[in-house]
Amino acid sequence: MTSSPPGAPGAPGTRGGTPGASGISAACGTSGAPGTSGTPGTSGASGPTTGRPADPHAAQGAPARPGPAGGSGAHTRLDSAGGSGALRRSLAAALLADVDRLTDRAVEDIRAHSGTYAAGDPVTREDLWAICRDNMLRALEDFGGLAPTGGDFEGAARETGRRRAEQGVPLDVVLQAYRRGGRVLWQVMAEHLRTRAGREADSRDLELDVAGAVWETIDRYSVAMADAYRLAQLELQNQRDTRRAALFDALLDGRADDPTVAAAAAAALGVPAQDRYVVVVATQDPAAPPQPAPVLEAQGLWSFWRPRSGRYAGVVRLPRRDAPAGRTPAPPGARPDPALLRLLDALRERTGATAGVSPEFERLSQAGRALRLAEQTLRTLPAGSGEAAVFDDRLAEILLGGRPDIAERIVTVHLGPVLATGGERTALLTTLRVWLDHGCSASRAADLLYCHRNTVLNRVGRVAELTGRSAESGEARLGWALALRALPFAGLPDTPGATPPVAGPPGPGGADRDPYGT
């Protein structure tokens, strides 16, 4: 609510340089000082503005000239008994008689000092004028101890807060408008106080009481408006969160084949409908963070998560691949992908959750299928292991996990005799796994197992002897590797776990000892 600075010409649409000054004097039973009652376009006793186009919003206010009689409302008004009470009532009655021009002045002042209101979007001038008038009307009735003409005194302030929150106007901008409106209100009152009859004989304390009452009223209305604004903001945020969660669930449920749903979900999440995405499904480890979003955000990765069947399911947006000038960007699935590696490292090292990651996809509408692939990946990981893996790296395990009968047969055909060796099998299976995982290098396997390379060669030779296959055969190596991956899904009793134990320091005997004491 802004106006022209003190002493400046009146705002457009007002009558005279100081709207309502002579009218106030008349209403209070005083005569205007020189230069006030003769203001062009005014008369000694001012009434409501005439000739103003009918405003559809004017109905929000009370009649233009409420009577000065006091009344009891729901709100406890400022003390009006004795002292400054009569002066406050006369001031309020005079300003209420010219409330339309007072509103004009406030509106022009607000628009002159606020780019948001001057732009007319989202708050039009008509909207601002109607709200200003309603607030002025209620504030003056409250200030003067007059009967409320349109509901409780602070209702207009609460309505202002609610509407501005819905329109997205920043709270500090709305509070500034309230301060500007209060300034205009006090300017007009001060103009009267300076020119009223008998001023010299009065105590200055009377005018100070009036000033304090004005700013107390403005402050209380500002607080009511701000409280309503914050409450509306919370309600709007809850509505947005609920809508965002519902659209995200629609994505994961596979209902985004409808382009309208996909577009609405992308808009609600604030991401493009087409980009680089993966779906992650993570177990809710009690020791892990409530959800991985803050952890991934710290790594420069946008994500959105929702609890789902005792787990967290999330969509993660990967950065675009950077390609050197003149080169074609690497296709999806090309290795290594730094963004995907950063995601896996963050999941493993910073969340502690066990997580399955889908293949990369481009359209959000594909999130439902990606969710199923991420869940299949998670099912191949040992529970509580804190491991994170991508679907493409667990293809064999995914296939075998879906057919335990085939997994059991693969283990029986390729490693059955090794499993029948009893106490020897753990060392043989562990050595075979490490040897295969490290390019069939006996030296590298020996370093990891804390044993001599000849020990590795002897154990691999023993596996070859038991299974009747050559360790140099590619087909034999493929069969052994497949059987090792099938072990967790084979359902065989007393089979060693698929996860190799963490190597420890050398035991007694030095290099010839491995973690299993063999």
Side-chain angles (χ1 to χ4, degrees):
M1 306 197 272
T2 67
S3 87
S4 311
T14 65
R15 297 184 296 168
T18 306
S22 59
I24 296 166
S25 299
C28 296
T30 63
S31 61
T36 61
S37 62
T39 305
T42 65
S43 62
S46 172
T49 302
T50 59
R52 180 182 185 85
D55 192 320
H57 299 277
Q60 292 185 2
R65 188 188 292 272
S72 59
H75 174 70
T76 302
R77 300 189 297 278
L78 297 168
D79 181 18
S80 59
S84 65
L87 181 57
R88 291 207 307 269
R89 283 193 296 273
S90 65
L91 283 170
L95 267 66
L96 284 167
D98 213 9
V99 69
D100 284 349
R101 289 203 300 170
L102 179 62
T103 301
D104 283 335
R105 182 167 170 173
V107 166
E108 295 308 321
D109 191 86
I110 292 172
R111 289 166 62 86
H113 291 83
S114 171
T116 301
Y117 284 106
D121 184 26
V123 183
T124 65
R125 190 188 188 285
E126 291 73 18
D127 181 8
L128 178 60
W129 193 91
I131 283 287
C132 281
R133 187 184 190 280
D134 209 12
N135 277 273
M136 286 288 189
L137 192 66
R138 302 290 177 267
L140 286 169
E141 290 173 343
D142 190 8
F143 167 78
L146 306 178
T149 56
D152 66 299
F153 285 115
E154 296 172 3
R158 289 192 292 271
E159 173 65 10
T160 302
R162 183 191 65 78
R163 287 176 64 176
R164 297 299 178 253
E166 291 175 350
Q167 291 168 327
V169 181
L171 178 57
D172 59 340
V173 173
V174 188
L175 286 171
Q176 182 195 34
Y178 261 70
R179 289 192 295 271
R180 301 304 308 181
R183 181 174 177 272
V184 168
L185 187 61
W186 172 242
Q187 282 175 351
V188 175
M189 289 186 178
E191 288 162 4
H192 165 66
L193 292 173
R194 283 195 297 268
T195 60
R196 69 189 180 92
R199 181 171 183 253
E200 298 300 328
D202 289 344
S203 168
R204 292 301 174 92
D205 290 343
L206 190 64
E207 295 178 359
L208 291 175
D209 287 346
V210 170
V214 170
W215 289 107
E216 182 182 342
T217 302
I218 294 167
D219 182 65
R220 189 170 67 253
Y221 278 52
S222 297
V223 170
M225 182 280 296
D227 288 345
Y229 183 102
R230 295 187 182 99
L231 180 60
Q233 214 174 29
L234 287 174
E235 293 172 349
L236 290 170
Q237 185 61 50
N238 287 337
Q239 292 172 8
R240 285 193 292 266
D241 289 345
T242 300
R243 184 172 185 273
R244 186 183 299 116
L247 288 168
F248 183 75
D249 287 340
L251 284 178
L252 298 186
D253 291 340
R255 289 181 278 135
D257 290 338
D258 182 346
T260 304
V261 175
L269 295 173
V271 293
Q274 187 165 337
D275 208 331
R276 294 186 65 205
Y277 296 106
V278 293
V279 169
V280 180
V281 178
T283 55
Q284 291 181 286
D285 188 335
Q291 58 135 307
V295 173
L296 299 185
E297 184 178 5
Q299 302 300 310
L301 298 170
W302 176 91
S303 63
F304 186 86
W305 299 79
R306 284 271 294 160
R308 195 175 177 90
S309 304
R311 302 168 181 170
Y312 268 108
V315 172
V316 180
R317 183 185 181 190
L318 302 177
R320 286 289 178 185
R321 291 185 179 90
D322 294 328
R327 289 192 181 180
T328 304
R335 298 303 180 101
D337 182 354
L340 194 55
L341 293 177
R342 191 162 75 247
L343 169 62
L344 292 173
D345 288 343
L347 291 171
R348 291 173 184 140
E349 299 173 11
R350 300 178 184 272
T351 70
T354 306
V357 182
S358 76
E360 179 184 327
F361 57 96
E362 291 187 353
R363 295 189 303 277
L364 278 178
S365 58
Q366 299 171 313
R369 175 177 178 274
L371 172 70
R372 294 191 294 273
L373 300 182
E375 289 174 336
Q376 291 175 0
T377 307
L378 179 62
R379 283 195 290 269
T380 69
L381 301 174
S385 65
E387 179 59 32
V390 182
F391 179 87
D392 292 348
D393 294 335
R394 305 288 292 179
L395 292 174
E397 289 84 352
I398 291 168
L399 285 172
L400 295 167
R403 294 298 302 271
D405 53 338
I406 294 179
E408 179 182 353
R409 188 59 188 166
I410 290 173
V411 171
T412 300
V413 169
H414 292 280
L415 289 177
V418 178
L419 298 178
T421 58
E424 188 182 7
R425 68 181 179 183
T426 299
L428 293 178
L429 291 174
T430 301
T431 301
L432 180 63
R433 180 186 298 279
V434 174
W435 178 72
L436 289 169
D437 287 347
H438 292 85
C440 300
S441 169
S443 298
R444 180 63 180 143
D447 291 341
L448 294 171
L449 294 171
Y450 295 100
C451 65
H452 196 277
R453 68 182 300 275
N454 287 341
T455 303
V456 173
L457 292 174
N458 288 337
R459 290 174 182 170
V460 173
R462 176 66 173 151
V463 170
E465 177 187 351
L466 289 170
T467 59
R469 302 171 188 272
S470 170
E472 301 300 320
S473 167
E475 186 176 350
R477 293 177 180 181
L478 175 61
W480 292 339
L482 197 57
L484 288 170
R485 283 165 172 74
L487 275 174
F489 313 105
L492 298 174
D494 302 324
T495 53
T499 304
V502 178
D512 290 333
R513 301 282 294 174
D514 63 25
Y516 302 96
T518 58

